Amino acid sequence: MYATRPEARPATVEVSVDGVAVMVPVGASAAAAVLLAGAAAIRETAVSGAPRLPYCMMGVCFDCLAEVDGAPNVQACMVTVAAGMRIARQAGARDALLGEAPR
Ligand code: FES
Protein backbone atom coordinates (compact mmCIF):
# COMPACT_ATOMS: atom_id res chain seq x y z
CA MET A 1 0.00 0.00 0.00
CA TYR A 2 2.74 2.41 0.95
CA ALA A 3 6.12 2.34 -0.71
CA THR A 4 9.35 3.83 0.55
CA ARG A 5 10.74 6.44 -1.79
CA PRO A 6 13.98 5.16 -3.33
CA GLU A 7 15.99 8.08 -1.96
CA ALA A 8 14.67 7.33 1.56
CA ARG A 9 15.79 3.68 1.55
CA PRO A 10 18.79 2.97 3.74
CA ALA A 11 22.11 1.96 2.24
CA THR A 12 22.71 -1.76 2.43
CA VAL A 13 25.63 -4.13 2.78
CA GLU A 14 25.83 -7.74 1.65
CA VAL A 15 26.48 -10.42 4.25
CA SER A 16 26.05 -14.18 4.13
CA VAL A 17 23.83 -16.18 6.46
CA ASP A 18 24.64 -19.88 6.27
CA GLY A 19 26.16 -19.23 2.86
CA VAL A 20 23.17 -17.33 1.47
CA ALA A 21 23.78 -13.71 0.44
CA VAL A 22 21.50 -11.22 2.20
CA MET A 23 21.27 -7.46 1.74
CA VAL A 24 21.02 -5.76 5.14
CA PRO A 25 20.59 -2.08 6.01
CA VAL A 26 23.80 -0.41 7.16
CA GLY A 27 23.86 -0.31 10.96
CA ALA A 28 21.66 -3.38 11.42
CA SER A 29 22.76 -6.22 13.65
CA ALA A 30 23.92 -9.65 12.56
CA ALA A 31 20.80 -11.02 14.29
CA ALA A 32 18.64 -8.78 12.09
CA ALA A 33 20.44 -10.26 9.08
CA VAL A 34 19.51 -13.74 10.27
CA LEU A 35 15.86 -12.72 10.56
CA LEU A 36 15.94 -10.98 7.16
CA ALA A 37 17.37 -14.16 5.65
CA GLY A 38 14.32 -16.05 6.86
CA ALA A 39 16.46 -18.69 8.57
CA ALA A 40 14.54 -21.36 10.45
CA ALA A 41 17.09 -21.25 13.28
CA ILE A 42 20.51 -19.78 13.99
CA ARG A 43 21.51 -22.16 16.72
CA GLU A 44 20.47 -25.36 18.38
CA THR A 45 20.62 -25.78 22.12
CA ALA A 46 23.43 -27.89 23.52
CA VAL A 47 21.15 -30.04 25.67
CA SER A 48 18.06 -30.80 23.61
CA GLY A 49 19.01 -29.57 20.15
CA ALA A 50 15.97 -27.28 20.10
CA PRO A 51 16.14 -24.64 17.35
CA ARG A 52 16.53 -20.99 18.37
CA LEU A 53 16.22 -17.63 16.63
CA PRO A 54 17.12 -14.18 17.96
CA TYR A 55 14.47 -13.13 20.47
CA CYS A 56 15.24 -10.12 22.66
CA MET A 57 17.58 -8.28 20.23
CA MET A 58 19.26 -6.56 23.18
CA GLY A 59 21.83 -8.99 24.57
CA VAL A 60 19.72 -10.66 27.26
CA CYS A 61 18.43 -14.03 26.04
CA PHE A 62 21.47 -15.48 24.21
CA ASP A 63 19.18 -17.14 21.67
CA CYS A 64 21.16 -15.44 18.92
CA LEU A 65 24.50 -17.15 19.55
CA ALA A 66 26.09 -17.72 16.17
CA GLU A 67 29.39 -18.06 14.42
CA VAL A 68 30.38 -14.66 13.04
CA ASP A 69 33.39 -14.51 10.73
CA GLY A 70 34.57 -17.82 12.15
CA ALA A 71 34.24 -16.85 15.84
CA PRO A 72 31.77 -19.10 17.73
CA ASN A 73 29.36 -18.04 20.49
CA VAL A 74 28.91 -14.47 19.30
CA GLN A 75 25.76 -12.67 20.39
CA ALA A 76 24.62 -11.73 16.90
CA CYS A 77 22.26 -9.03 18.19
CA MET A 78 25.22 -7.13 19.63
CA VAL A 79 27.27 -7.09 16.42
CA THR A 80 26.79 -4.53 13.66
CA VAL A 81 26.94 -5.97 10.18
CA ALA A 82 29.84 -5.20 7.87
CA ALA A 83 30.18 -5.90 4.19
CA GLY A 84 31.20 -9.51 3.59
CA MET A 85 30.42 -10.65 7.14
CA ARG A 86 29.84 -14.41 7.38
CA ILE A 87 27.16 -15.45 9.85
CA ALA A 88 26.66 -19.17 10.36
CA ARG A 89 24.44 -21.45 12.40
CA GLN A 90 25.96 -23.23 15.33
CA ALA A 91 24.67 -26.48 16.74
CA GLY A 92 25.15 -27.74 20.26
CA ALA A 93 28.05 -26.83 22.50
CA ARG A 94 30.98 -25.24 20.72
CA ASP A 95 34.57 -26.31 21.07
CA ALA A 96 35.29 -23.22 23.16
CA LEU A 97 32.82 -24.46 25.77
CA LEU A 98 33.98 -28.05 25.74
CA GLY A 99 37.67 -27.26 25.83
CA GLU A 100 40.42 -29.75 26.36
CA ALA A 101 41.03 -31.50 29.63
CA PRO A 102 43.75 -29.79 31.73
CA ARG A 103 47.17 -31.40 31.43
S1 FES B 1 18.64 -11.90 20.68
FE1 FES B 1 18.70 -12.09 22.84
S2 FES B 1 20.81 -11.95 23.32
FE2 FES B 1 20.72 -11.65 21.19
Side-chain angles (χ1 to χ4, degrees):
M1 181 168 175
Y2 294 99
T4 305
R5 294 187 330 249
E7 64 275 8
R9 292 185 184 139
T12 57
V13 293
E14 183 176 309
V15 302
S16 77
V17 177
D18 271 344
V20 177
V22 181
M23 298 304 292
V24 183
V26 170
S29 68
V34 169
L35 296 173
L36 281 170
I42 193 59
R43 77 175 184 98
E44 295 168 356
T45 61
V47 175
S48 68
R52 292 287 189 263
L53 278 172
Y55 181 67
C56 72
M57 302 298 280
M58 60 183 187
V60 175
C61 72
F62 287 76
D63 276 344
C64 63
L65 291 181
E67 188 176 300
V68 176
D69 288 337
N73 297 316
V74 174
Q75 282 181 283
C77 69
M78 305 304 285
V79 175
T80 301
V81 292
M85 177 178 278
R86 292 171 290 113
I87 305 160
R89 171 193 303 237
Q90 71 178 38
R94 303 306 299 172
D95 295 342
L97 294 176
L98 298 175
E100 289 185 28
R103 296 178 192 188

